[in-house]
Amino acid sequence: MRIGVPCEPPGQPLVAATPHTVERLARLGHEVLIEPGAGSQSSYPDADYEAAGATLAPAAQIWDCDMVLGTGAPTTDQLDLMHSGAIVVGRLDPARSPELLEALTSRGLTGLAMDAVPRISRAQAMDVLSSQANLAGYRAVVEAASHFGRLFSGQVTAAGKFPPAAVYVIGAGVAGLSAIGTASSLGAVVRGTDVRPEVADQVRSMGAQFVALPSAQEESSDGYAKEMSTDQEAAARALYAEQAAASDIVITTASIPGRRAPLLLDRQAIEAMRPGSVIVDLAAANGGNAELTEPGKVITTPGGVTIVGHTDLARRLPAQASQLYGQNIVNLLTLATPGKDGDLVLDMEDPILRAITVTRQGELMWPPPPITVSAAPAPQQAPEPAEPDPQAEAAAQARTRRRQLTGLAAATALAAALVLVTPAAAATHYIVLTLAIILGFHVISNVTPALHTPLMSVTNAISGIILVGAISQVGNADPLISGISLVAIVLASINVFGGFAVTHRMLAMFRKD
């Protein structure tokens, strides 16, 4: 399939494919055409695309491809350049763009909305909203720092000391957690709030204090938080106002695609904040979480509070935003190109492909059928305990004692037999073996389950000793000893190589590329 990547309109620095993703698309059997200058604003020159295997082509040829990749929705004039049956991929915002859906349908085009990826585990690698929100959360802290005018970390100097900045993040989704981690790394004292109590551990793991709402909510079936009742919303706003008044920087992240962003900070809450405070509203594009937010602008209230209403925070990191967006598309096309032969297969039985397909060769497919992405297990009523039977309990205890005594007697007889057939020179080693078993049991039984995997990798040293001893006995004249040595070599080798593999995977989790 011929895939075209056009230049984005002025003011949009992102590009839908980078040289790295072009190589990935070529491995799937696709031919990629790039309009000259498409990646220049994201620091990707045309020469890099050509080196990656792409072909430079004019705009008319780009829009005549079988598939066109964009970062936003195409214009009507651009759609007129496409042939019937072609595919448009981009952030189409289908819930709020009925005119675009009509234009796609009337021209017999297929539209794939990257911003309609369902929030299920399989789709995480294709979730454009999450990948861009991660960058937006980071950039929000950078913007806050540039307008704050003070250091985030506390300082103790000969000239005096001052406390660290207090940062309050409302919403612990992808953007909120990214903002929390960035602010914590800069030395600020961070607090976070979310309507979902289950994210408290995530907030704490990023170095922040979790501030719970008076009435917490559960996650809905679409992966977003449920709407609050009037009383719950009033109590939540009171908490937001209280925390905002005690903070230097407030970052709001509450936003649901296709809906107006909820109002979290009203005028009174903003006026109660200290002069010099900063609010960064990540939901400005959807109306804003703060009442005084002006989308696309940075304003300062009469009380001296700066409100940052940028709607393009992720686009202010164009190189990485383009790379993540392009990788999301690659992951999607990997799913839709199972044969890696350039033949795109849109399987409508796949919940991911069905959810993002808004039109298909002139047929309106929006909205998709609902997908349940989270479900709380139905509470099960515990059975009423039966009345205990003293005689049955006594009989069960007696059987347990008999089994224990029988097992102990068998183990003792086996140990005695081993001692009797063992040469006298080696019999004393059984004492060391017994003590090692007792000591090892007590050591391992006291290790917390969280450290079991590291403990497995540490046993490489013990397995190495066993491996050396078994190798020394593998050529023994006694066939039994030689066979046991061979088995020990195999088992110890599995443990050694498996331990190295586990250690490698553990270290990879903490390695920064």
Side-chain angles (χ1 to χ4, degrees), residues 216-494:
Q217 298 294 297
E218 295 180 356
E219 196 175 77
S220 64
S221 61
D222 61 356
Y224 294 92
K226 293 180 180 179
E227 294 184 2
M228 293 183 174
S229 65
T230 303
D231 293 340
Q232 292 172 336
E233 188 175 354
R237 285 188 185 178
L239 176 66
Y240 298 150
E242 176 187 353
Q243 294 294 324
S247 303
D248 300 307
I249 295 171
V250 178
I251 299 175
T252 63
T253 69
S255 182
I256 300 177
R259 307 182 197 175
R260 204 268 184 211
L263 183 63
L264 307 181
L265 298 174
D266 55 20
R267 182 184 297 270
Q268 290 75 18
I270 297 173
E271 291 176 348
M273 296 178 65
R274 294 190 292 263
S277 300
V278 179
I279 298 175
V280 182
D281 195 339
L282 269 70
N286 290 334
N289 297 137
E291 185 177 356
L292 301 182
T293 296
E294 295 186 19
K297 297 181 180 180
V298 178
I299 66 170
T300 302
T301 67
V305 178
T306 300
I307 303 178
V308 180
H310 293 317
T311 58
D312 59 349
L313 287 174
R315 292 200 296 267
R316 290 170 182 261
L317 301 167
Q320 289 175 308
S322 297
Q323 175 59 37
L324 291 176
Y325 183 84
Q327 188 60 49
N328 291 141
I329 293 179
V330 168
N331 294 334
L332 172 65
L333 296 185
T334 301
L335 174 66
T337 317
K340 297 184 179 181
D341 52 2
D343 185 13
L344 198 71
V345 180
L346 294 180
D347 182 9
M348 292 297 99
E349 296 298 322
D350 190 300
I352 300 175
L353 296 176
R354 177 61 186 89
I356 68 172
T357 305
V358 296
T359 62
R360 187 183 186 190
Q361 297 181 352
E363 179 186 359
L364 182 63
M365 307 289 287
W366 183 265
I371 301 176
T372 301
V373 300
S374 64
Q380 298 181 355
Q381 185 176 2
E384 295 184 0
E387 291 293 332
D389 186 351
Q391 293 182 351
E393 289 184 357
Q397 293 177 358
R399 287 194 298 269
T400 302
R401 284 195 298 269
R402 284 197 298 269
R403 285 196 297 266
Q404 292 175 346
L405 291 175
T406 302
L408 181 60
T412 303
L414 178 61
L418 287 174
V419 172
L420 292 175
V421 299
T422 301
T428 56
H429 293 311
Y430 283 113
I431 299 177
V432 177
L433 176 62
T434 303
L435 294 177
I437 292 174
I438 296 173
L439 180 61
F441 172 78
H442 285 286
V443 169
I444 295 176
S445 62
N446 289 324
V447 173
T448 176
L451 296 179
H452 281 175
T453 299
L455 185 64
M456 287 171 54
S457 62
V458 172
T459 58
N460 285 346
I462 301 175
S463 299
I465 296 173
I466 296 174
L467 185 60
V468 172
I471 291 175
S472 67
Q473 295 296 324
V474 73
N476 195 286
D478 190 336
L480 179 60
I481 296 177
S482 182
I484 294 176
S485 300
L486 180 61
V487 173
I489 290 174
V490 173
L491 296 179
S493 298
I494 293 174

Side-chain angles (χ1 to χ4, degrees), residues 70-137:
T71 60
T75 64
T76 303
D77 293 338
Q78 291 170 334
L79 293 178
D80 290 337
L81 299 175
M82 302 185 70
H83 61 268
S84 179
I87 302 173
V88 179
V89 180
R91 299 182 66 169
L92 306 182
D93 195 9
R96 296 188 295 184
S97 305
E99 301 84 2
L100 175 61
L101 299 183
E102 182 179 354
L104 293 171
T105 303
S106 63
R107 291 166 175 79
L109 300 174
T110 297
L112 303 181
M114 293 300 298
D115 48 353
V117 173
R119 304 191 75 181
I120 59 179
S121 298
R122 283 181 55 233
Q124 288 181 356
M126 314 165 203
D127 192 351
V128 167
L129 298 180
S130 293
S131 66
Q132 302 301 301
N134 180 41
L135 297 178

Side-chain angles (χ1 to χ4, degrees), residues 17-27 30-32 34 44-56:
T18 66
H20 176 71
T21 62
V22 165
E23 293 179 355
R24 298 286 302 276
L25 293 174
R27 293 176 198 164
H30 301 294
E31 179 186 357
V32 183
I34 303 287
Y44 296 118
D46 294 340
D48 289 355
Y49 284 106
E50 291 183 300
T55 302
L56 299 181

Side-chain angles (χ1 to χ4, degrees), residues 137 140-141 144-145 148 151-153 164-170 176 178-193 203 207-209 211 243-244 246-252 273-274 278 280:
V141 177
F148 183 46
L151 296 176
F152 270 48
S153 60
V167 178
Y168 181 49
V169 180
I170 305 178
S178 177
I180 289 172
T182 305
S184 297
S185 66
L186 292 176
V189 176
V190 187
R191 297 187 300 275
T193 295
V203 172
Q209 174 190 354
V211 181
Q243 294 294 324
S247 303
D248 300 307
I249 295 171
V250 178
I251 299 175
T252 63
M273 296 178 65
R274 294 190 292 263
V278 179
V280 182

